[in-house]
Amino acid sequence: MTSVANAEPTACSHAFTVLIPRGLRGSVEGLPPQTRQALYSELFRMASLAHQEEGPPSMPRMACLELEGCHATVEVDTSRSRLTLAGLTRIRVLG
């Protein structure tokens, strides 16, 4: 039996917050369901990868996503453990 005093300390994990600002929520909800799901999946994948980065937290950086029919700009702020959707543009296909 292992007592609490003898147990090895575990690394404290910090949760990453994925923020979609109020001004962009309508645009996100207006996306086709498959595109919206792809956006959510990619945001959480990026948060997971940023959480795993080694070393001290870095300055916020911008990342761009090209998804089906839209272009998203994301701010990755490891010092605050936060990922923010900064911009979303729907791409119109001319034809």
Side-chain angles (χ1 to χ4, degrees), residues 10-30:
T10 58
C12 180
S13 62
H14 298 291
F16 239 76
T17 301
V18 176
L19 176 66
I20 299 175
R22 185 172 289 147
L24 292 175
R25 290 181 191 161
S27 296
V28 170
E29 290 175 9

Side-chain angles (χ1 to χ4, degrees), residues 11 29 31 49 53-54 58-59 90:
E29 290 175 9
L31 293 172
L49 291 174
E53 289 180 3
E54 296 290 329
S58 60
M59 296 294 294
R90 292 183 78 168

Side-chain angles (χ1 to χ4, degrees), residues 23-91:
L24 292 175
R25 290 181 191 161
S27 296
V28 170
E29 290 175 9
L31 293 172
Q34 287 179 304
T35 305
R36 185 173 54 246
Q37 183 61 43
L39 175 63
Y40 290 151
S41 295
E42 189 61 21
L43 290 173
F44 283 98
R45 185 189 72 79
M46 290 175 69
S48 176
L49 291 174
H51 171 70
Q52 295 172 13
E53 289 180 3
E54 296 290 329
S58 60
M59 296 294 294
R61 65 183 187 279
M62 299 303 281
C64 294
L65 299 173
E66 297 293 332
L67 301 168
E68 299 173 26
C70 70
H71 172 82
T73 307
V74 180
E75 179 186 82
V76 181
D77 188 347
T78 55
S79 67
R80 291 180 165 172
S81 298
R82 184 170 66 197
L83 200 93
T84 304
L85 181 64
L88 182 65
T89 306
R90 292 183 78 168
I91 300 168

